[in-house]
Amino acid sequence: MKDNAPLAAVVMGSESDLPIMRKTAEVLKEMGVSYEIKISSAHRTPDETALYAKSARDRGIEVIIAGAGMAAHLAGAIAANTTLPVIGVPIKSGELNGVDALYSTVQMPSGIPVATVAINGAANAAYLACSILSIKYPEIRAALDAKRAKTREILLEKSEADARWTDPEERA
Ligand code: RP5
């Protein structure tokens, strides 16, 4: 990575998405990926959102993560304006608890893809972005490998501790 120019863009439709999308930023930071954060709405600021997406590649961005709730057209609107990889995070909000956002984000028409993670899957969106970037950046690949090794180690330790409890009631 040259200087500290952002490689990843984290975009969300509203400030109310921040408590969830913060997790994306946390994982990117942990993996050593430079990023920028932007609030931009497909509905409330459509022209600015389109311009942001159109200019992203020339500004050095290599992957975009877009989180939005309800009608959730943000990731699709961004994908319509760039050929960079776009990862969509459906945010749980409103009467339909994120199922509306999931369907809006995942059901893109052929030719304009959005890689959609789970409802509120902000951390996985960051890991997927890291996987994409790891093709070009060995240090990001190393960070991902180290994270997986650590996760495995923690689980194996817990699993060993569990094996000592043979009575299921004791484990509850
Ligand atoms: C979407 O509508 C946003 O992404 C947010 O998840 C939802 C509600 O937005 P606010 O009314 O809280 O600004 O566009």
Side-chain angles (χ1 to χ4, degrees):
M1 278 174 274
K2 55 174 186 179
D3 49 61
N4 243 1
L7 285 180
V10 182
V11 193
M12 63 205 85
S14 167
E15 200 178 351
S16 65
D17 300 320
L18 196 53
I20 295 300
M21 294 308 290
R22 193 186 296 279
K23 291 178 205 155
T24 301
E26 282 168 8
V27 171
L28 291 175
K29 194 171 176 196
E30 188 188 348
M31 296 293 109
V33 175
S34 52
Y35 61 89
E36 63 182 24
I37 292 192
K38 175 101 179 152
I39 295 173
S40 197
S41 167
H43 309 284
R44 293 165 176 159
T45 57
D47 295 343
E48 290 77 4
T49 298
L51 267 177
Y52 181 77
K54 280 184 210 289
S55 66
R57 189 187 288 271
D58 287 344
R59 289 186 298 105
I61 299 293
E62 298 189 10
V63 60
I64 300 177
I65 300 159
M70 301 177 84
H73 290 154
L74 182 61
I78 288 175
N81 284 292
T82 181
T83 49
L84 287 173
V86 177
I87 302 168
V89 184
I91 305 277
K92 181 177 173 177
S93 70
E95 300 303 320
L96 299 181
N97 284 323
V99 175
D100 43 0
L102 172 64
Y103 284 174
S104 298
T105 309
V106 81
Q107 289 288 359
M108 286 298 290
S110 178
I112 315 291
V114 169
T116 306
V117 295
I119 295 171
N120 284 357
N124 259 2
Y127 286 120
L128 181 54
C130 290
S131 295
I132 292 166
L133 294 169
S134 75
I135 296 167
K136 182 170 164 191
Y137 299 95
E139 62 273 37
I140 299 176
R141 179 181 175 179
L144 279 175
D145 286 342
K147 177 71 183 182
R148 290 222 180 168
K150 185 78 194 156
T151 304
R152 178 176 178 272
E153 201 179 294
I154 290 168
L155 200 141
L156 288 177
E157 270 171 26
K158 282 187 182 155
S159 166
E160 267 174 39
D162 269 2
R164 284 186 242 123
W165 297 325
T166 46
D167 182 352
E169 276 176 25
E170 246 182 84
R171 298 175 65 163

